């Protein structure tokens, strides 16, 4: 019997469907996976920004994850918006409970706040994320502002991004991909910082021309979800990132002429 390629996304719901669980699910399905979901928060948002949001209770979040992991053959997990220390700790508890059965790749997109300025993760939640969840990660995928928050270092250049990646790696995660979408200029450069078999730090750069488009909402969600699918397929981290970046680029190119409303439309509309 054919085995399904199940990828679990633990993230917030976006009513505008440009980011969060909706963007993750479209990406996972487009790449041949089957998206399982655990909703961490419900948001009211559109292309202009977040209007309101509320976290899902700890018990219901745990029940969602438990239901999925207790039945489906999950091959990889991706996390997005985790609205507070309680949500972070539920994920950690579930990873501990199920790690004895199978240790699966975990991609963490450390969503601290929205691009429009809404803050989701408190100081206490951020501390829990860094100390308790990051050590479980196969890969952490911060953008420049998130890398600053996680590392405590100023990020204003590609050299700063690499330094921040090295600092975040000290948390115990497997690897860090600091995304360069916030950098100025026509080139987009992401830096991967990881450890090799000898425990030496290895740095790899991924570079490409920036796609000129206003429709960039959910780029981080799409990239991290795509990487999770690639890891679920058994790809190496570097190959998975390369393939995921190629997928995101195609999505941005295909959607750059679409008019979605008064603000930034989805990076990938499916």
């Amino acid at each position: 019997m054919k085995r399904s390629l199940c990828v679990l996304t633990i993230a917030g719901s976006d009513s505008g469907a440009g980011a969060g669980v909706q963007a993750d699910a479209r990406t996972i399905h487009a790449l041949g996976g089957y998206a399982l979901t655990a909703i961490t928060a419900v948001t009211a948002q559109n292309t202009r920004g977040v209007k309101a949001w509320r976290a899902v209770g700890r018990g219901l979040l745990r029940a969602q994850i438990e239901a999925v992991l207790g039945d489906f053959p999950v091959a990889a997990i991706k996390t997005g918006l985790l609205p507070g220390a309680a949500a972070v700790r539920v994920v950690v508890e579930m990873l501990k409970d199920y790690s004895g059965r199978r240790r699966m790749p975990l991609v963490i997109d450390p969503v601290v706040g929205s691009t429009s300025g809404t803050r989701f993760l408190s100081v206490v939640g951020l501390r829990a994320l860094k100390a308790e969840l990051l050590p479980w990660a196969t890969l952490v995928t911060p953008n420049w502002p998130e890398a600053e928050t996680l590392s405590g270092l100023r990020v204003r250049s590609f050299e700063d991004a690499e330094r921040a990646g090295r600092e975040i790696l000290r948390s115990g995660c497997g690897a860090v991909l600091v995304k360069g979408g916030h950098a100025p200029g026509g080139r987009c450069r992401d830096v991967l910082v990881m450890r090799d078999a000898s425990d030496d730090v290895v740095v790899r750069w991924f570079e490409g021309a920036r796609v000129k488009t206003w429709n960039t909402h959910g780029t981080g969600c799409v990239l991290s979800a795509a990487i999770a699918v690639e890891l679920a397929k058994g790809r190496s981290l570097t190959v998975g990132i390369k393939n995921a970046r190629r997928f995101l680029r195609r999505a941005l190119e295909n959607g750059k002429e679409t008019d979605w409303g008064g603000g930034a439309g989805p990076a990938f509309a499916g």
Side-chain angles (χ1 to χ4, degrees):
M1 184 177 293
K2 183 179 179 181
R3 191 173 181 84
S4 57
L5 186 72
C6 294
V7 177
L8 168 62
T9 171
I10 306 172
S13 174
D14 174 357
S15 59
V21 161
Q22 287 87 342
D24 292 344
R26 285 198 303 274
T27 300
I28 292 165
H29 291 160
L31 291 170
Y34 181 76
L36 303 162
T37 65
I39 308 296
T40 62
V42 177
T43 72
Q45 59 179 298
N46 54 29
T47 63
R48 293 181 174 90
V50 179
K51 310 303 180 183
W53 72 282
R54 179 174 296 176
V56 169
R58 176 189 176 97
L60 182 55
L61 175 56
R62 181 184 176 93
Q64 292 177 79
I65 301 172
E66 196 167 43
V68 169
L69 291 181
D71 187 27
F72 292 90
V74 177
I77 299 175
K78 175 254 163 121
T79 66
L81 167 58
L82 298 174
V88 171
R89 288 175 179 140
V90 165
V91 175
V92 173
E93 289 166 7
M94 291 291 93
L95 291 170
K96 288 179 178 178
D97 288 349
Y98 288 89
S99 63
R101 305 183 192 183
R102 55 188 186 278
R103 186 70 181 258
M104 63 202 82
L106 170 64
V107 178
I108 295 178
D109 183 13
V111 179
V112 177
S114 70
T115 304
S116 58
T118 300
R119 174 89 180 202
F120 295 122
L121 195 59
S122 66
V123 173
V124 175
L126 180 63
R127 191 178 303 129
L129 177 74
K130 292 166 62 176
E132 301 175 42
L133 185 57
L134 290 196
W136 287 86
T138 305
L139 178 69
V140 185
T141 63
N143 57 31
W144 279 19
E146 292 161 348
E148 281 190 339
T149 301
L150 292 176
S151 68
L153 302 175
R154 180 184 172 91
V155 180
R156 294 293 183 275
S157 68
F158 293 117
E159 292 76 14
D160 292 344
E162 181 182 330
R163 280 192 289 271
R166 288 176 178 270
E167 181 61 29
I168 297 168
L169 191 67
R170 291 164 59 89
S171 68
C173 59
V176 183
L177 181 71
V178 182
K179 301 170 294 187
H182 285 76
R187 305 293 291 178
C188 186
R189 300 180 71 203
D190 302 338
V191 59
L192 175 65
V193 184
M194 60 184 178
R195 295 189 181 278
D196 63 15
S198 302
D199 206 35
D200 295 323
V201 176
V202 176
V203 176
R204 170 125 185 227
W205 290 89
F206 301 85
E207 182 173 352
R210 189 182 300 275
V211 178
K212 294 181 180 179
T213 175
W214 186 245
N215 295 326
T216 58
H217 185 45
T219 50
C221 303
V222 173
L223 183 67
S224 55
I227 294 171
V229 176
E230 290 295 306
L231 297 179
K233 292 177 179 178
R235 310 277 196 243
S236 70
L237 193 55
T238 53
V239 171
I241 291 171
K242 186 181 298 183
N243 291 346
R245 291 181 83 254
R246 188 179 301 120
F247 175 84
L248 176 58
R249 180 177 183 82
R250 286 198 304 268
L252 290 168
E253 289 281 5
N254 291 339
K256 66 183 180 182
E257 302 299 334
T258 304
D259 182 7
W260 288 100
F268 174 54

